[in-house]
Amino acid sequence: MHFVSTKVVKTGPKTATISGNLTLHGVTKPVTLNASFNAAAVNPLSKAYTLGFKASGRIKRTDFGVSKYAPLVSDETTITITSAFEKKAN
């Protein structure tokens, strides 16, 4: 699974929508994820200033060619991305 963002739109003080292209099972489709800002602080281990985010959205797996056992196994699934970004030291 590979996600490349193409647009971020702020929707609130700590929220945004992230649009982009999701590639799964060799199929690429546009997807929009709902994102939230978790926190910003100095990481006690790396000592780097770090920002944390979470994004999630729902897709139909059959849209990406993953159809085994459908409809016995739910077609809709939730994707969750949790990320942390560290500021490089100068």
Side-chain angles (χ1 to χ4, degrees), residues 16-37:
T17 56
I18 304 172
S19 299
N21 296 310
L22 176 70
T23 302
L24 174 66
H25 200 67
V27 177
T28 302
K29 299 257 184 197
V31 172
T32 299
L33 304 174
N34 296 310
S36 61
F37 170 71

Side-chain angles (χ1 to χ4, degrees), residues 14-16 34-38 52-55:
K14 292 187 171 189
T15 60
N34 296 310
S36 61
F37 170 71
N38 293 333
F53 295 89
K54 181 179 179 180

Side-chain angles (χ1 to χ4, degrees), residues 58-76:
R58 295 183 68 80
I59 63 165
K60 288 187 176 183
R61 59 190 186 91
T62 54
D63 288 347
F64 294 88
V66 182
S67 58
K68 190 157 187 152
Y69 303 115
L72 299 174
V73 175
S74 178
D75 191 17
E76 282 197 4

Side-chain angles (χ1 to χ4, degrees), residues 41-50 86-89:
V42 175
N43 182 320
L45 298 176
S46 68
K47 307 298 185 216
Y49 190 73
T50 305
E86 289 189 347
K87 182 178 181 180
K88 286 187 177 183

